[in-house]
Amino acid sequence: MGVIWTLIVGGIIGLVAGAITKKGGSMGWIANIVAGLVGAYVGQALLGSWGPSLAGMALIPSIIGAVIVVAVTSFVLSKLR
């Protein structure tokens, strides 16, 4: 059950990051989950694990990290097209 909960929270974090950057609608739900999970890792590595936590992820650093991941990914993909 822990893995499912982590995927759900990762998807929500990715969805929030996509809404902030206005790139989430074109990504799809699998990409939102991946962006949320990778963003959670990046955000907590850069900013630490402060603030409220859910499913082992500090929410505020995770959302900031996911915004960074979504922005960088969309920038790289736009340059490849």
Side-chain angles (χ1 to χ4, degrees):
M1 187 67 184
V3 173
I4 294 172
W5 184 242
T6 301
L7 292 175
I8 291 170
V9 173
I12 293 170
I13 289 171
L15 184 67
V16 170
I20 290 171
T21 60
K22 302 201 181 2
K23 307 283 187 207
S26 62
M27 287 178 29
W29 61 274
I30 293 177
N32 279 335
I33 293 172
V34 171
L37 294 175
V38 172
Y41 176 78
V42 169
Q44 289 182 33
L46 294 175
L47 303 171
S49 59
W50 51 272
S53 181
L54 193 61
M57 293 180 256
L59 295 179
I60 296 170
S62 296
I63 291 171
I64 294 170
V67 167
I68 293 168
V69 168
V70 169
V72 169
T73 302
S74 64
F75 177 76
V76 169
L77 291 178
S78 70
K79 292 296 180 183
L80 293 176
R81 291 183 183 172

